[in-house]
Amino acid sequence: DARKIYLVRHAEKAAGEDPGLTLVGRARAEILAGELRHTGLTAIYSTETRRTRQTAAPIARATGLTVLPYDAGNLETFANMLRATPGNILVVGHSNTSPQLVKALGGKPGAPIVEATEYDRLYILTENGRKFRTEIRRYGE
């Protein structure tokens, strides 16, 4: 099977500085874990915010993987590192970084993510030679 990189934005967040997830967001994170549980993930990356770490937590628990931090301020470097890392990978980011990372990996980011309301976009990048084929799915309610 060709390797895959999954990218999502964090789930629904509360208000305030470095907010955590709302109840709806926590439920969405659990749904994400269910969807990705059997994909053979070998690594999970998240930015250092509470909302991204909480989105990654259920799938980390389900797979026994440790959530590794990455710097969303340097997506080109991170994309190169992801390209060089074997296995299936989940990256939890933000509405303004996930599409950019897809692009940095050579995928198609699609329309901009609607910051206020769109929490259900799941990018699936499938390795195809030196590039990635992009699929955009929806998950959760």
Side-chain angles (χ1 to χ4, degrees):
D1 255 15
R3 86 182 182 106
K4 292 181 166 38
I5 300 177
Y6 301 88
L7 298 95
V8 294
R9 170 196 190 188
H10 58 79
E12 286 85 343
K13 63 180 194 235
E17 197 168 317
D18 195 19
L21 297 181
T22 62
L23 280 173
V24 171
R26 286 201 195 113
R28 185 178 302 282
E30 293 291 344
I31 291 166
L32 180 67
E35 296 233 349
L36 298 182
R37 183 173 277 122
H38 301 295
T39 56
L41 288 179
T42 54
I44 301 170
Y45 290 91
S46 165
T47 59
E48 294 276 25
T49 64
R50 282 182 59 206
R51 58 194 177 274
T52 52
R53 290 197 314 263
Q54 288 176 358
T55 301
I59 185 65
R61 276 196 304 276
T63 57
L65 293 169
T66 301
V67 178
L68 304 167
Y70 76 96
D71 177 8
N74 202 338
L75 293 176
E76 285 296 331
T77 302
F78 184 49
N80 289 334
M81 195 215 75
L82 289 174
R83 265 197 219 69
T85 304
N88 295 334
I89 300 169
L90 169 64
V91 179
V92 183
H94 303 269
S95 60
N96 62 340
T97 63
S98 295
Q100 285 176 311
L101 184 55
V102 167
K103 198 171 174 189
L105 286 164
K108 294 185 170 65
I113 290 175
V114 182
E115 204 281 328
T117 57
E118 189 180 350
Y119 295 95
D120 62 349
R121 188 183 299 190
L122 171 62
Y123 287 102
I124 303 171
L125 270 54
T126 305
E127 199 166 45
N128 186 4
R130 295 195 43 73
K131 289 207 170 98
F132 284 94
R133 196 175 67 245
T134 311
E135 183 187 344
I136 298 176
R137 273 199 210 150
R138 303 286 171 190
Y139 76 99
E141 296 301 295

